[in-house]
């Protein structure tokens, strides 16, 4: 427990470092697990001897139709293949909807950033993937993401948020970008992020190193 709010990254680190189970998952305060979700994730992890199992997210907006977020990993179960799926937007970099072998989180040193408000899941996930040997997807809906219009992902980006996004871009370079076959995809992904910010009116020059 933290005496002050140190941000989501630090809260999650405190949690996973204190965990004692074989596998670890994450649940944000606004969201829910459907019935059978954890059993499906755990069974797949045991049956496939996987380091990470990734399930499907159902997005539940305040108004309108529910829909499923893409959870494709069509290139393979190794880190290079998963990085490729991430960079091609075939799956998200979220920590929720996945379970992780406990040692994968506890036995490695991961860089964390206190107060990061956007892209914090990706900052950690890109690092964790680099230490994983087998990552598999399952089709089961294992996580219900309830849209909160006041959540950090729905408000206009401030200085801290933009810096967090740039940290995620840097992490993409440091992890996936170290592999020659992925460098082109990393550049494309970062360019896509920067272009999206620019056309939405953000002045990104001071944040791009």
């Amino acid at each position: 427990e933290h005496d002050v709010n140190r941000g989501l990254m630090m809260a999650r680190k405190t949690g996973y470092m204190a965990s004692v189970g074989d596998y670890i998952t994450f649940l944000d305060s606004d969201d829910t697990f459907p019935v059978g979700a954890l059993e499906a994730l755990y069974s797949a992890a045991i049956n496939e001897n996987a380091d990470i199992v990734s399930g499907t997210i159902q997005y539940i907006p305040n108004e309108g139709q529910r829909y499923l977020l893409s959870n494709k990993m069509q290139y393979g179960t190794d880190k290079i293949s998963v990085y490729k799926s991430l960079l091609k937007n075939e799956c998200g970099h979220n920590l929720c909807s996945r379970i992780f072998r406990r040692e994968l989180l506890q036995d490695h040193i991961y860089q964390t950033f206190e107060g990061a408000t956007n892209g914090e899941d990706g900052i950690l996930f890109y690092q964790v993937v680099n230490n994983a040997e087998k990552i598999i997807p399952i089709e089961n809906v294992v996580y219900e993401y309830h849209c909160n219009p006041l959540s950090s992902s729905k408000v206009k980006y401030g200085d801290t948020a933009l810096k967090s996004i740039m940290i995620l871009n840097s992490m993409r370079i440091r992890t996936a970008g170290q592999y020659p076959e992925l460098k082109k995809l990393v550049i494309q992904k970062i360019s896509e992020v920067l272009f999206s910010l620019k056309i939405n009116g953000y002045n990104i020059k001071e944040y791009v190193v």
Side-chain angles (χ1 to χ4, degrees):
E1 184 176 343
H2 298 163
D3 294 332
V4 296
N5 186 350
R6 301 176 61 192
L8 187 56
M9 282 201 81
M10 302 308 295
R12 284 183 172 161
K13 181 176 182 179
T14 298
Y16 69 67
M17 291 304 294
S19 297
V20 295
D22 293 335
Y23 284 86
I24 295 170
T25 192
F26 301 90
L27 175 67
D28 288 346
S29 58
D30 298 334
D31 304 329
T32 51
F33 290 129
V35 175
L38 297 182
E39 180 181 1
L41 289 166
Y42 181 72
S43 295
I46 296 301
N47 292 337
E48 298 291 335
N49 191 28
D51 293 314
I52 303 172
V53 179
S54 176
T56 300
I57 295 175
Q58 183 175 59
Y59 185 87
I60 305 175
N62 288 338
E63 299 179 357
Q65 189 71 27
R66 299 182 178 197
Y67 60 89
L68 303 180
L69 300 181
S70 179
N71 181 41
K72 295 179 181 177
M73 294 181 184
Q74 62 177 324
Y75 304 105
T77 62
D78 60 288
K79 70 184 73 175
I80 300 294
S81 298
V82 174
Y83 277 141
K84 188 174 181 180
S85 293
L86 283 167
L87 294 167
K88 291 174 73 68
N89 302 318
E90 294 179 352
C91 65
H93 57 231
N94 47 284
L95 298 176
C96 299
S97 80
R98 294 182 163 118
I99 63 170
F100 301 80
R101 195 186 301 275
R102 175 171 55 83
E103 293 83 358
L104 186 62
L105 292 172
Q106 292 184 347
D107 293 354
H108 302 275
I109 298 174
Y110 297 114
Q111 191 171 9
T112 54
F113 298 88
E114 190 165 332
T117 59
N118 290 76
E120 63 272 16
D121 275 17
I123 293 170
L124 179 58
F125 190 61
Y126 270 87
Q127 296 177 81
V128 173
V129 167
N130 206 40
N131 291 315
E133 294 185 6
K134 188 174 185 180
I135 305 167
I136 65 167
I138 59 175
E139 294 184 358
N140 306 59
V141 175
V142 300
Y143 196 85
E144 295 169 332
Y145 179 88
H146 296 267
C147 178
N148 178 0
L150 299 179
S151 70
S152 60
S153 62
K154 297 299 180 183
V155 299
K156 186 171 176 62
Y157 296 146
D159 182 72
T160 301
L162 290 170
K163 287 180 179 178
S164 299
I165 292 170
M166 298 310 162
I167 290 171
L168 173 54
N169 279 340
S170 296
M171 194 60 70
R172 289 183 172 113
I173 294 171
R174 290 172 50 191
T175 55
Q178 69 182 304
Y179 301 103
E181 61 266 51
L182 296 175
K183 285 185 176 180
K184 184 177 179 180
L185 282 176
V186 170
I187 293 171
Q188 290 176 344
K189 178 62 179 180
I190 292 175
S191 298
E192 171 189 309
V193 171
L194 297 180
F195 180 73
S196 178
L197 289 171
K198 186 174 181 179
I199 64 173
N200 280 286
Y202 292 99
N203 181 6
I204 60 175
K205 290 183 179 180
E206 60 183 292
Y207 301 99
V208 180
V209 178

